[in-house]
Amino acid sequence: MSEGVVSITATLNNTHVVVADKEGNVLTWASGGSSGFRGAREATPYAAQITAENALTKAKTLHGLEKVMVYVKGIGTGREQAIRGIANAGVDLQAIFDITAVPHNGCRKKKIRKL
């Protein structure tokens, strides 16, 4: 298997990296906690980079992954660093897509307080 898909979910508390094949079957995954970071350090850009490198090196050695398409979701601080971690792992980046959800009208406002 030479081509795959990488999904990065960067939340405010953690970063998850999932490596799948073209059909969507998960090959490997990693998160800030599985990479050895605990608590608030899971959400740092450095933790996101190490997490992405761990997931991609596992996928390269076990499945022979060479080219990936990256889907980034979330507003966390590790978005760009996770992409740099993928590039550092020696995998060819074909495309990067941002699939972060954007609210069209936002949440419903609280009703006004009556005294």
Side-chain angles (χ1 to χ4, degrees), residues 82-99:
I83 296 171
R84 287 195 183 102
I86 292 171
N88 289 345
V91 179
D92 183 32
L93 289 172
Q94 288 184 323
I96 301 171
F97 300 102
D98 186 8
I99 56 169

Side-chain angles (χ1 to χ4, degrees), residues 42-62:
E42 291 178 0
T44 61
Y46 177 70
Q49 180 178 355
I50 297 300
T51 300
E53 288 176 4
N54 289 345
L56 266 297
T57 51
K58 277 195 282 188
K60 275 182 67 173
T61 57
L62 295 176

Side-chain angles (χ1 to χ4, degrees), residues 6-98:
V6 177
S7 300
I8 301 170
T9 306
T11 66
L12 295 175
N13 296 321
N14 206 347
T15 303
H16 301 279
V17 179
V18 178
V19 182
D21 60 7
K22 286 289 209 178
E23 287 77 37
N25 302 316
V26 175
L27 304 176
T28 60
W29 63 273
S31 67
S34 70
S35 299
F37 298 95
R38 289 286 173 229
R41 294 190 331 172
E42 291 178 0
T44 61
Y46 177 70
Q49 180 178 355
I50 297 300
T51 300
E53 288 176 4
N54 289 345
L56 266 297
T57 51
K58 277 195 282 188
K60 275 182 67 173
T61 57
L62 295 176
H63 303 285
L65 195 68
E66 296 172 0
K67 299 177 185 176
V68 293
M69 295 174 60
V70 180
Y71 291 90
V72 184
K73 183 178 189 177
I75 58 169
T77 58
R79 291 167 50 101
E80 288 84 13
Q81 276 311 113
I83 296 171
R84 287 195 183 102
I86 292 171
N88 289 345
V91 179
D92 183 32
L93 289 172
Q94 288 184 323
I96 301 171
F97 300 102
D98 186 8

